[in-house]
Amino acid sequence: MKRSGWTVSKVLALGILAMDAGCTGAVLYFCLLAIRMQFTGPLPYLTTLIGALQAATAAVLAAYYGKSRAENTKGGITYDAALGRDESC
């Protein structure tokens, strides 16, 4: 029986990407608002949030692609290697 639908890991990966994009957009909007209102204080607190979210996104996507790579094997041979497209072989 073939499974249909998305896996939990795919939903989590897409969720972190959506959260990262939304929060990055919000932070950039707040930075634009601060510039337009002639805010004279520093903005590192806002821009640090973007870096922290990018680091979290990188960690989640690295785990997701590692899981995906491990799932695409059969008998220790990866799908790309069987098709002759794997450069690591």
Side-chain angles (χ1 to χ4, degrees):
M1 183 174 174
K2 188 174 182 176
R3 284 193 289 168
S4 62
W6 289 4
T7 61
V8 173
S9 59
K10 187 178 286 188
V11 171
L12 289 174
L14 290 174
I16 192 83
L17 283 172
M19 182 189 71
D20 185 23
C23 289
T24 299
V27 167
L28 291 176
Y29 173 73
F30 288 139
C31 288
L32 175 69
L33 201 64
I35 291 168
R36 286 198 176 170
M37 298 288 226
Q38 297 180 354
F39 177 69
T40 58
L43 295 175
Y45 302 110
L46 288 174
T47 55
T48 301
L49 180 60
I50 293 175
L53 286 170
Q54 294 292 320
T57 301
V60 168
L61 290 181
Y64 173 73
Y65 285 120
K67 178 185 174 290
S68 178
R69 182 177 180 97
E71 287 176 345
N72 290 329
T73 61
K74 185 171 186 175
I77 300 173
T78 63
Y79 178 76
D80 288 337
L83 292 177
R85 296 187 298 193
D86 191 12
E87 284 103 25
S88 66
C89 292

